[in-house]
Amino acid sequence: MFKDRTSFRPGTGSGSGRSWPDNTAPWKSCVNSCRLGFGGQAGASSVNAPILNSFLYDAQQQLWEQVDWHHLIRFADKTVGYGQRLLEYPQDCDPERVLSVAVYDGVEWLPLARGIDWQHRDPLNTLDRPCRWEMADQLELHPKADRTYPLRIRYVRKPDRFEGEGDRASLNDNLIFLHALYNAKLHYRQPDADRYGAQLESELLQVKSRSRGRRVHRRKIIQSDPYGRAPRAADHV
């Protein structure tokens, strides 16, 4: 955690190799660690607090956008009614981070293909089991449902608020530290900025490689498959 970083140096990666979300840190610890990152160099005491705060906020936001963080993946169960074509997104869902959508036909979960083009927009408003979805102001389905169906949305939830006292990082604290400190050092023209940038790039590549190639949909249903059980009445919202 950040409390162990009083002697942090690039290359030590004290936050590496731990499971998430255990290695997340409170806002104040992040601020203090970034100040310590300047060490005894000139300008350490004059780091502008609002600027440093913005670097920490931007660090979490930008890192969140680059990776499908597995500990932030959620599932939301909804009900599609007869003739329905549009659904509201879950409150903590960014529409651009929807990973997959599936409907339950009474026997199994059937993943929907993404993409609704002009040829799919039936002027006769044919009703059938939805088989496609698209991102819009609301989640759009095609075709309109011919009956009621349970529907499941898999998505990467938005990170928690990370702007001040009482907030806690939603992502790996070492990456947030490196990202914020690297940009702060660039801003203040510190000569060792590139060392932190290189370490950030290396650790981020490791995270992306661990996320690459993981799948949720499998032909054989296994116990941990998120689509492997029938929906319960309490799941529907």
Side-chain angles (χ1 to χ4, degrees):
M1 301 290 283
F2 278 100
K3 63 184 179 181
D4 299 322
R5 285 222 182 84
T6 54
S7 60
F8 180 87
R9 292 291 182 272
T12 61
S14 60
S16 302
R18 293 175 296 177
S19 61
W20 294 313
D22 294 339
N23 59 339
T24 61
W27 171 267
K28 188 173 182 179
S29 294
C30 297
V31 172
N32 292 339
S33 294
C34 282
R35 289 188 180 279
L36 286 171
F38 280 83
Q41 301 177 45
S45 61
S46 62
V47 177
N48 184 278
I51 292 179
L52 182 57
N53 292 349
S54 71
F55 285 142
L56 285 168
Y57 172 82
D58 289 343
Q60 175 163 276
Q61 285 297 121
Q62 293 178 28
L63 290 167
W64 175 79
E65 292 172 0
Q66 294 187 51
V67 181
D68 288 337
W69 301 92
H70 292 286
H71 70 282
L72 296 182
I73 291 177
R74 282 187 174 175
F75 299 86
D77 282 5
K78 292 180 173 288
T79 298
V80 182
Y82 173 83
Q84 190 171 0
R85 180 176 62 88
L86 298 174
L87 280 174
E88 294 289 344
Y89 295 100
Q91 188 173 4
D92 62 351
C93 172
D94 183 318
E96 299 208 11
R97 302 304 295 276
V98 173
L99 302 177
S100 61
V101 180
V103 296
Y104 189 73
D105 68 351
V107 178
E108 61 181 336
W109 286 101
L110 302 171
L112 277 58
R114 179 170 182 178
I116 300 176
D117 297 326
W118 288 111
Q119 64 266 29
H120 298 128
R121 302 186 185 279
D122 182 3
L124 300 178
N125 289 321
T126 302
L127 300 178
D128 204 340
R129 174 179 57 80
C131 61
R132 308 187 72 88
W133 71 277
E134 186 55 271
M135 179 186 70
D137 181 54
Q138 295 175 289
L139 183 70
E140 183 178 5
L141 304 174
H142 171 82
K144 292 182 178 179
D146 60 345
R147 61 178 177 85
T148 298
Y149 291 94
L151 179 139
R152 184 166 292 171
I153 304 171
R154 176 176 176 256
Y155 63 98
V156 181
R157 74 167 178 84
K158 297 175 183 177
D160 296 328
R161 182 180 181 273
F162 193 57
E163 301 177 20
E165 289 287 342
D167 297 342
R168 191 176 187 89
S170 298
L171 308 180
N172 177 287
D173 62 16
N174 194 50
L175 288 175
I176 291 177
F177 167 76
L178 289 171
H179 192 292
L181 186 60
Y182 169 59
N183 282 283
K185 283 180 172 287
L186 285 178
H187 178 81
Y188 287 101
R189 302 182 185 278
Q190 296 263 328
D192 59 342
D194 287 344
R195 287 194 295 159
Y196 290 91
Q199 187 179 350
L200 170 64
E201 183 177 1
S202 174
E203 296 202 16
L204 190 54
L205 284 173
Q206 292 181 40
V207 171
K208 289 181 176 180
S209 67
R210 288 195 292 269
S211 299
R212 196 172 298 126
R214 295 191 181 185
R215 301 177 61 185
V216 169
H217 303 298
R218 299 177 175 86
R219 293 186 179 274
K220 294 179 65 176
I221 303 297
I222 60 175
Q223 188 174 1
S224 61
D225 191 329
Y227 299 134
R229 65 167 175 83
R232 299 168 299 188
D235 292 333
H236 301 159
V237 294

